Amino acid sequence: MHTYQSPLDLVRERSPERPVALVRPDTVALAARWFQESFKGEVLYAVKANPSPWVIKTLAANGLRAFDVASVPEIELVAQHAPGSKMAFMHPVKSRAAISAAYFDHGVRTFALDTHEELAKILDATGQAKDLNLMVRLAVSSEGSSYPLSGKFGVEPHEALGLLLAARRATQDLMGVAFHVGSQCMRPTAYQGAMAGASRALVRAGVFADVVDVGGGFPSIYPGMVPPSLGDYINSIDRGFAEMMVHETTELWCEPGRALVAESSSVLTRVDLRKGDALYLNDGSYGSLFDATHSKWPFPVKLIREDGAADAPLKPFRFYGPTCDSIDHMPGPFWLPEDVGEGDFIEIGMLGAYGVAMATRFNGYGDVGLAEVQDAPMASMYGLAPRSIPTPRPESGTVVKLSRARSKKRRRR
Ligand SMILES: *Cc1c(COP(=O)(O)O)cnc(C)c1O
């Protein structure tokens, strides 16, 4: 991977035709060390947030060698780039073939489930193995999360009694409970609430859990979504754990995805056309910008121009991606100098989680380059940049002037 001092250096040297993922491995190293020092238990990286080999290698090189995987390709990826790591297959619905491959070919012993049927499948596909760690996925409230994950998986705690008992009886190794409070969780107390619910379910079933897995959900920073500090989340989990009815030996696990990688990457795109306040870019919804379309997240942006000039007053823009689908639209608003136009490069920040990971090849696009840059991310939960993203305001008069110009044009027609 080529390294550049800054995105501007890359633009000057290469003027890239394709979008380029700009990655900052040091931010992942710092986040990995922060979680291992602050979280009082085992930290598993949720691979789906960003499965890039450089991420897996950076985590492993910084002591994080446990991974939450959801498919055989993710298992193979971890086996290749962080050999010898611990893996937990935390998808509650798996094929028999995937369970067997995980167990027999890759030594995976930890499996999640939220039904009796899945438990039976796991036991069958592992030849009634006795050394399984079985994690019962509970449904918990997604209140306070910007990206709820409660719709699809998890058994309601008040209906979990039979399943907790069955999982407890099925293994001589670890039995645990797991949940996910929802991604980009803005409220630290969500963890404490979920742990209280898990504790009640365990007490009602009369079983002790060997593992309490508080899942992912740890936030990053996006415009309009500046969360409390990560220390507040750790404190909520500490309080929640202290209040649970568990053994002294019960282990605490977490599965951060977003928080470990979000600030590590931005994407360098190019403007191929401007139509009024719409910029047509070479990356979009089917590329790295899924959340900018489907969740309407107004990611932070910077104009990168070869001559360095980017000092015109700011104005709000919308983006269109390169495919022919009209859903390939990102409403923003994205604040950029008002003279932005064809040939300019735009760096879109905070795309390390669920960004490049989501890119498809639809319509012949989605081929993203890769380069390392050494500047700071646009915002940081770990002190590398401000813990906020300023929402720009146009210089007074700018918007008025522009809208007057537009209305004049309309009157002329
Ligand atoms: C997606 C996922 C995670 C990671 O969630 P983040 O919000 O990115 O931290 C963790 N655990 C499970 C089971 C997941 O599906």
Side-chain angles (χ1 to χ4, degrees), residues 176-255:
V177 286
F179 55 79
H180 198 302
V181 294
S183 204
Q184 185 66 13
C185 177
M186 298 296 283
R187 205 183 302 159
T189 52
Y191 290 88
Q192 215 178 329
M195 292 166 97
S199 187
R200 281 192 297 273
L202 288 164
V203 168
R204 218 175 291 123
V207 298
F208 274 105
D210 305 304
V211 182
V212 175
D213 180 346
V214 299
F218 302 92
S220 186
I221 301 163
Y222 304 95
M225 279 184 282
V226 179
S229 77
L230 286 174
D232 291 357
Y233 290 78
I234 301 293
N235 291 339
S236 169
I237 290 166
D238 288 348
R239 278 195 296 273
F241 198 47
E243 288 162 5
M244 284 187 85
M245 290 278 290
V246 289
H247 275 305
E248 270 170 29
T249 55
T250 299
E251 297 175 24
L252 194 58
W253 295 2
C254 69
E255 305 162 355

Side-chain angles (χ1 to χ4, degrees), residues 28 31-32 35-36 42-60 63-70 74 77-78 82 85-90 213 215-216 218 253-262 264-265 351-355 357:
V28 172
F35 261 89
Q36 290 172 98
E42 178 130 54
V43 182
L44 296 90
Y45 171 58
V47 173
K48 79 168 181 291
N50 188 331
S52 305
W54 71 266
V55 170
I56 312 279
K57 287 186 213 164
T58 304
L59 291 170
L64 204 160
R65 295 196 194 86
F67 295 86
D68 158 9
V69 291
E74 283 188 359
L77 191 73
V78 171
S85 295
K86 172 181 157 171
M87 288 187 245
F89 204 153
M90 297 306 290
D213 180 346
F218 302 92
W253 295 2
C254 69
E255 305 162 355
R258 182 186 302 282
L260 287 171
V261 293
S264 74
S265 311
L351 282 172
Y354 310 108

Side-chain angles (χ1 to χ4, degrees), residues 9 16 20 47 67 94 152 175-176 232 237 261 317 331 412:
D9 285 353
V20 182
V47 173
F67 295 86
K94 303 163 283 297
K152 192 166 175 183
M175 178 272 182
D232 291 357
I237 290 166
V261 293
F317 287 90
R412 239 183 275 136

Side-chain angles (χ1 to χ4, degrees), residues 54-139:
W54 71 266
V55 170
I56 312 279
K57 287 186 213 164
T58 304
L59 291 170
N62 285 277
L64 204 160
R65 295 196 194 86
F67 295 86
D68 158 9
V69 291
S71 62
V72 173
E74 283 188 359
I75 291 172
E76 289 168 349
L77 191 73
V78 171
Q80 183 184 348
H81 297 293
S85 295
K86 172 181 157 171
M87 288 187 245
F89 204 153
M90 297 306 290
H91 196 310
V93 181
K94 303 163 283 297
S95 76
R96 286 170 195 271
I99 296 165
S100 294
Y103 184 85
F104 293 107
D105 302 343
H106 296 283
V108 176
R109 292 294 175 267
T110 305
F111 295 86
L113 57 109
D114 62 2
T115 57
H116 287 278
E117 290 80 357
E118 186 75 8
L119 175 58
K121 208 199 284 174
I122 293 167
L123 295 174
D124 269 3
T126 58
Q128 309 296 322
K130 290 283 179 279
D131 59 349
L132 297 170
N133 304 321
L134 296 171
M135 307 290 291
V136 176
R137 171 83 174 257
L138 300 174

Side-chain angles (χ1 to χ4, degrees), residues 376-387:
M378 292 194 195
S380 177
M381 297 293 281
Y382 306 94
L384 295 167
R387 203 164 62 79

